[in-house]
Amino acid sequence: MLQVILIALATIIVIAAIVWFLRKRLNWGPQKIHAPHFSDHIHVAPASRFIADIQRDAKVDHFGPRRDPMAWELRRMVKRAAAPGGKTVLKTSALEAARSDNEKVLMLSGGGQWGAYGAGLFRALHDASPDALAMTNVKVITGISTGSLQTLLLMVALDGNANPQTRRYAMERLEWGYSPKRESDVVDNRGMIQMLLRGAQAGTAPLRRRIRDAIYENGSAQILDAIRNSSIEGYIGFVEANCGHFHYADVRELARTAPDNEAAVEALTAAAMASSAMPVFHQQLRVTGLKQGDRSLYDGGVRRSVFFERAMEEMQEEIKKQAGDPADANPPGNEQAKVAPDFFVVRNGPTVRDLAPQLDASDGPLGNGKRGYDLLVNESEIGAIANLRLLNPHGTIWVTTADGWDDFDCQCEDGDCSKDDEMFKPGFMACLRDLGRHKVQRNGGPWWEMSKL
């Protein structure tokens, strides 16, 4: 009996050693990025006062002393709009609004491969513009998950202060990023069975290389320098695994304060990778070399798809200072709308889920788990966008989504355009890019205005 126990223990030890070796050798552990200055430019996104009310009995510091650069910038935008000649006449056409002199906030949601929709949309706007500028006077861009890579490149492609050649190059890199030739160009996806050894369905080493190539092609610092000098504030959101709080990275400062280009690339890649590290599906992202120790970070989409909350409340406080209380206006909110920046939101994906009749005849755990995940994420995405209106009741908000993809007559030439189960399917992504172009070219353009309260 003792001999049997010893053999069993030895077998367990050997198997554990093999698993440990494979995790190290084959990058089956976390994706680690060394970026010592990363935490110097990470900010907690404070909760709104409504969430603070709900969490009254929880041990959470909602309004303690902290920097919130996004709130500061929104306040400055309101002040500039309230100054004489600060804001132009309110626009009724979405395309007119995108090209107006009004200062703008662009919010980019998550969506993985669905980001190809946003890439196609902005490339079409860029191609149709007379000055290689898809949108004018964008002052703030926020990005989550797939929107994080878009943020890095649109900070350059939409910067009116950058030269047209650099803007065109950034737009080309954006389109390239969403034009893989095969799924393995983006992720190492070998199925859910990998979770047992790897802790995630897909390895993200290819994604790390792709983000680096998008912003640092062949060691060229053209994009990095343009980010450092951009007139646009860029913020990328993610969640810290340990505390569960939502954070955002200040993109320009990560690039500006890095000791060299390589450190800047690693820090920006860390921000984009953190924002894209969806637990279970994507390899864990761990930033190392920080003063407070290594930190594991999750996709910001586990909390919200667009982020603003307390910053929006501070913007409203500034609007009241500059334009008065909306309750005193006639009609209510008219003066407040004149000083509020224009918001443009890109939902990189659909807002409803396609039918899944197979679940009426199957009770498999993977099928049920994936369906539940899809429904929860979808509700989080559209709920966050709807909440934007609640916290910005009078300003103009333009929205675009990838809805309509399922019956769109795709003209792409990249083969099979069906969605299937791949995480990043080249043919489907080509169809999404085509959908973005189509919506830009249709009557009324890609955006529509959200109803006001």
Side-chain angles (χ1 to χ4, degrees):
M1 176 63 71
L2 179 60
Q3 185 178 13
V4 172
I5 293 174
L6 291 175
I7 291 173
L9 287 174
T11 301
I12 292 172
I13 292 172
V14 169
I15 292 174
I18 292 173
V19 171
W20 179 87
F21 174 79
L22 289 174
R23 283 174 64 86
K24 294 291 185 182
R25 183 71 176 173
L26 301 179
N27 192 28
W28 281 1
Q31 187 72 236
K32 294 183 179 180
I33 299 181
H34 188 71
H37 77 294
F38 184 78
S39 58
D40 296 337
H41 305 291
I42 303 304
H43 308 281
V44 176
S48 72
R49 56 191 175 90
F50 302 121
I51 292 178
D53 287 343
I54 296 168
Q55 295 177 329
R56 186 192 65 178
D57 285 351
K59 295 179 180 179
V60 181
D61 176 18
H62 290 102
F63 302 112
R66 57 169 60 91
R67 294 181 64 234
D68 190 359
M70 186 175 177
W72 294 354
E73 184 57 29
L74 292 181
R75 280 185 175 273
R76 285 193 288 264
M77 292 174 74
V78 172
K79 291 178 182 178
R80 290 194 293 265
K87 186 169 182 178
T88 62
V89 178
L90 298 178
K91 303 294 181 181
T92 56
S93 159
L95 288 176
E96 276 187 331
R99 296 286 304 174
S100 76
D101 292 334
N102 294 352
E103 292 190 345
K104 302 170 185 67
V105 177
L106 175 62
M107 293 182 152
L108 307 165
S109 85
Q113 67 179 336
W114 291 90
Y117 168 73
L121 181 148
F122 284 108
R123 182 58 195 257
L125 287 171
H126 167 91
D127 291 344
S129 69
D131 51 7
L133 196 58
M135 296 175 66
T136 57
N137 223 11
V138 175
K139 293 300 182 183
V140 174
I141 302 178
T142 70
I144 287 286
S145 195
T146 199
S148 65
L149 175 59
Q150 294 175 341
T151 297
L152 295 177
L153 293 164
L154 289 176
M155 282 180 66
V156 178
L158 300 182
D159 180 15
N161 291 346
N163 68 61
Q165 180 183 3
T166 301
R167 291 201 298 266
R168 279 192 290 268
Y169 177 57
M171 192 61 72
E172 289 168 1
R173 299 313 291 162
L174 177 65
E175 188 173 40
W176 172 84
Y178 290 93
S179 305
K181 296 186 182 303
R182 59 194 69 84
E183 184 183 41
S184 58
D185 290 345
V186 187
V187 290
D188 175 21
N189 178 18
R190 300 181 187 178
M192 299 291 279
I193 193 65
Q194 278 200 120
M195 285 191 296
L196 299 175
L197 293 175
R198 194 171 206 159
Q201 178 178 343
T204 54
L207 176 61
R208 181 175 179 174
R209 290 192 296 269
R210 198 163 188 85
I211 293 172
R212 284 181 58 93
D213 287 348
I215 63 176
Y216 199 49
E217 183 185 22
N218 298 323
S220 169
Q222 184 176 0
I223 296 293
L224 289 182
D225 289 340
I227 289 174
R228 292 183 179 111
N229 297 318
S230 179
S231 64
I232 300 173
E233 299 276 359
Y235 305 122
I236 289 175
F238 55 86
V239 171
E240 189 169 332
N242 179 14
C243 65
H245 291 164
F246 191 94
H247 297 70
Y248 67 88
D250 187 323
V251 172
R252 276 194 323 200
E253 291 307 308
L254 284 178
R256 286 175 175 175
T257 61
D260 51 47
N261 285 338
E262 181 61 31
V265 173
E266 286 292 88
L268 296 179
T269 301
M273 292 284 289
S275 191
S276 305
M278 181 57 71
V280 177
F281 292 96
H282 293 155
Q283 191 175 4
Q284 187 189 72
L285 188 282
R286 195 171 295 171
V287 181
T288 65
L290 306 179
K291 292 187 290 287
Q292 65 271 48
D294 298 352
R295 286 293 184 267
S296 296
L297 309 176
Y298 288 163
D299 188 323
V302 302
R303 292 293 300 266
R304 59 197 68 135
S305 68
V306 293
F307 54 99
F308 39 80
E309 295 195 340
R310 182 58 192 157
M312 294 291 290
E313 289 181 336
E314 291 203 30
M315 185 187 80
Q316 289 303 315
E317 292 169 9
E318 191 63 44
I319 286 175
K320 286 184 179 180
K321 285 176 60 177
Q322 301 296 333
D325 193 305
D328 300 331
N330 187 19
N334 190 52
E335 294 303 310
Q336 288 69 33
K338 290 180 181 178
V339 300
D342 292 348
F343 282 77
F344 287 76
V345 183
V346 178
R347 167 66 184 114
N348 282 300
T351 61
V352 294
R353 293 304 179 199
D354 51 335
L355 298 175
Q358 72 276 10
L359 294 176
D360 291 328
S362 171
D363 64 347
L366 291 181
N368 277 318
K370 289 178 68 176
R371 184 62 168 178
Y373 163 81
D374 282 346
L375 296 176
L376 287 169
V377 168
N378 184 70
E379 188 65 20
S380 172
E381 294 275 2
I382 61 176
I385 297 171
N387 194 36
L388 177 61
R389 170 51 80 204
L390 297 178
L391 294 176
N392 181 24
H394 307 296
T396 303
I397 303 174
W398 303 95
V399 180
T400 187
T401 76
D403 282 332
W405 67 274
D406 45 352
D407 57 4
F408 173 59
D409 182 17
C410 181
Q411 302 299 312
C412 73
E413 300 177 356
D414 288 17
D416 182 7
C417 295
S418 59
K419 182 175 180 297
D420 294 338
D421 290 329
E422 292 179 56
M423 285 184 171
F424 293 89
K425 184 177 179 182
F428 180 61
M429 294 175 73
C431 189
L432 289 172
R433 296 194 304 274
D434 195 30
L435 176 64
R437 287 189 290 270
H438 165 75
K439 289 198 175 185
V440 168
Q441 295 163 359
R442 71 183 181 181
N443 290 336
W447 317 92
W448 54 93
E449 187 178 357
M450 287 184 69
S451 301
K452 292 186 172 67
L453 296 184

